[in-house]
């Protein structure tokens, strides 16, 4: 796969704005591990190789076991590996990312709101929206994953 263009160079102010939102999410109070798990799951749903590679590496560097990482895509079947907050965040990430299919049903909102406070849920949704935007940039312009750069 060949990168179509360097969108960071083409739109530095726009990407800087994305970076500001990324920084906000990082300091929002949500656990870093939870954020990275959500970023990974959103990227899996969207099929973004660049972001899957990056967030997998981030989670491994943070000490998440590879066996745990491999099961993010099937977290519902992974038993105790994902705690209540992680499971709720992953479920919310899935329904919000697939908004055109799901319409984000009331029961999904109630389930997420039962685990997260309003600010947490709002910040989590900002993180999900941001990762969906990053995925669209990386996929559209064929960003090359670090693993494929040789």
């Amino acid at each position: 796969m060949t990168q179509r263009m360097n969108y960071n160079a083409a739109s530095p102010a726009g990407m800087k704005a994305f970076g500001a939102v990324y920084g906000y999410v990082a300091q929002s109070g949500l656990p870093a591990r939870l954020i990275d798990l959500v970023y990974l799951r959103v990227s899996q749903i969207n099929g973004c190789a660049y972001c899957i590679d990056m967030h997998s590496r981030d989670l491994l560097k943070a000490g998440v076991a590879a066996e745990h990482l491999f099961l993010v895509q099937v977290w519902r079947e992974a038993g105790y590996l994902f705690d209540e907050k992680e499971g709720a965040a992953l479920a919310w990430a899935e329904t919000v990312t697939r908004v055109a299919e799901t319409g984000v049903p009331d029961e999904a909102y109630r389930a997420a709101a039962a685990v997260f406070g309003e600010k947490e849920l709002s910040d989590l949704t900002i993180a999900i929206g941001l990762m969906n935007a990053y995925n669209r940039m990386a996929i559209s312009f064929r960003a090359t994953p670090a693993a494929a750069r040789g």
Side-chain angles (χ1 to χ4, degrees), residues 2-143:
T2 303
Q3 186 164 336
R4 291 177 172 162
M5 66 179 270
N6 181 341
Y7 51 89
N8 287 298
S11 299
M15 295 313 295
K16 184 177 179 183
F18 275 16
V21 177
Y22 188 89
Y24 170 78
V25 170
Q27 66 78 43
S28 70
L30 291 170
R33 172 188 158 112
L34 182 135
I35 294 167
D36 282 331
L37 287 169
V38 164
Y39 286 165
L40 176 60
R41 185 65 191 116
V42 168
S43 298
Q44 289 172 334
I45 292 166
N46 290 324
C48 183
Y50 180 85
C51 294
I52 291 168
D53 180 63
M54 178 174 41
H55 297 298
S56 295
R57 289 172 187 274
D58 290 345
L59 285 159
L60 288 169
K61 278 190 267 184
V64 173
E67 295 81 5
H68 192 122
L69 190 66
F70 300 149
L71 296 174
V72 170
Q73 191 164 346
V74 291
W75 64 270
R76 284 182 177 87
E77 289 81 36
Y80 67 90
L81 288 180
F82 299 93
D83 67 25
E84 179 185 27
K85 272 199 157 184
E86 291 169 345
L90 292 168
W92 185 245
E94 289 175 355
T95 196
V96 170
T97 297
R98 294 180 172 126
V99 65
E101 298 165 33
T102 70
V104 188
D106 289 341
E107 60 270 14
Y109 171 77
R110 283 192 295 273
V115 176
F116 294 102
E118 286 186 357
K119 181 183 182 315
E120 289 177 314
L121 189 54
S122 180
D123 290 342
L124 178 61
T125 308
I126 290 168
I128 294 163
L130 176 66
M131 190 48 48
N132 274 286
Y134 270 130
N135 289 168
R136 278 146 182 79
M137 294 298 290
I139 293 167
S140 296
F141 299 116
R142 305 290 190 258

